[in-house]
Amino acid sequence: MKKLQTIMLAIIISTGIGVSINTVCSQPVTTTSVSRPSAPQAQYTSINPLELVSNPYRYLNRNIKIKAKFDKFSTLGLDYPPAKRSSEKYISFLIQRPDITNHNIPLSELKIFLKKEVAEKNIDLDAGDEVEFCGKVFSTALGDAWIDVDDFKVVNKIKKEENKK
């Protein structure tokens, strides 16, 4: 008798679950369009390059933005083991010291790395052209700031003076 009661109870429970599942499954499916949020935009802090040079540890792992005068492309800091930026993929560039206006002196304490594809698009830059770049200070090896550039743009291109004959 107990076996029969147990079997009947199992059949009743199974039937009840089956009806519930059938009710849920037979509901019309409504889809709502959920847009995924775009990747969060990094926030960059505008800083003076001399402030970064004097306090590189303060900006370690921070996103920064610098507006400066371009000096030249370089190989400074490439293939240095602690930085691990390959000369095959990157080029570095120097900016001019903002505190010296009567000469073009590079701010070599900043190690700024730019992907070669971006540099090749800006190969016609001259010393004194105004640039703006955003990036992350990824190292303070040798007491200097080492920056990976995320965004690079030319703000103002100076006109070369034509040589007079």
Side-chain angles (χ1 to χ4, degrees):
M1 184 75 170
K2 279 196 170 202
K3 274 188 173 183
L4 185 61
Q5 287 178 342
T6 306
I7 292 173
M8 289 299 284
L9 184 60
I11 292 173
I12 292 172
I13 291 174
S14 297
T15 306
I17 290 174
V19 169
S20 297
I21 289 175
N22 190 30
T23 304
V24 169
C25 292
S26 65
Q27 296 288 330
V29 176
T30 57
T31 58
T32 57
S33 175
V34 177
S35 63
R36 289 186 178 188
S38 60
Q41 296 292 328
Q43 297 294 322
Y44 295 95
T45 304
S46 291
I47 62 167
N48 181 311
L50 295 176
E51 168 64 21
L52 179 56
V53 166
S54 41
N55 297 303
Y57 301 100
R58 178 185 209 183
Y59 296 97
L60 182 61
N61 296 319
R62 290 206 160 158
N63 294 321
I64 58 158
K65 179 193 276 189
I66 295 177
K67 194 174 194 178
K69 288 185 177 181
F70 178 82
D71 190 61
K72 64 182 146 239
F73 288 108
S74 170
T75 58
L76 184 67
L78 290 171
D79 298 319
Y80 180 62
K84 295 183 176 80
R85 296 303 180 266
S86 166
S87 58
E88 293 176 8
K89 295 180 182 177
Y90 293 90
I91 188 79
S92 61
F93 68 92
L94 297 168
I95 59 173
Q96 294 177 359
R97 292 188 66 90
D99 56 342
I100 299 176
T101 56
N102 56 351
H103 290 84
N104 291 341
I105 299 179
L107 189 61
S108 59
E109 297 90 337
L110 288 183
K111 311 305 188 270
I112 310 167
F113 299 98
L114 186 63
K115 290 192 176 178
K116 278 194 172 180
E117 304 87 60
V118 177
E120 288 168 356
K121 293 177 186 172
N122 294 286
I123 200 71
D124 61 338
L125 283 173
D126 293 312
D129 289 345
E130 197 172 337
V131 297
E132 182 178 78
F133 58 94
C134 300
K136 184 173 188 170
V137 178
F138 69 90
S139 177
T140 53
L142 304 173
D144 293 341
W146 298 65
I147 306 165
D148 265 336
V149 174
D150 299 326
D151 185 45
F152 181 87
K153 63 182 171 183
V154 178
V155 176
N156 187 23
K157 193 134 175 58
I158 61 166
K159 304 237 186 230
K160 283 187 174 183
E161 290 183 34
E162 293 183 29
N163 292 335
K164 295 182 180 178
K165 292 184 180 180

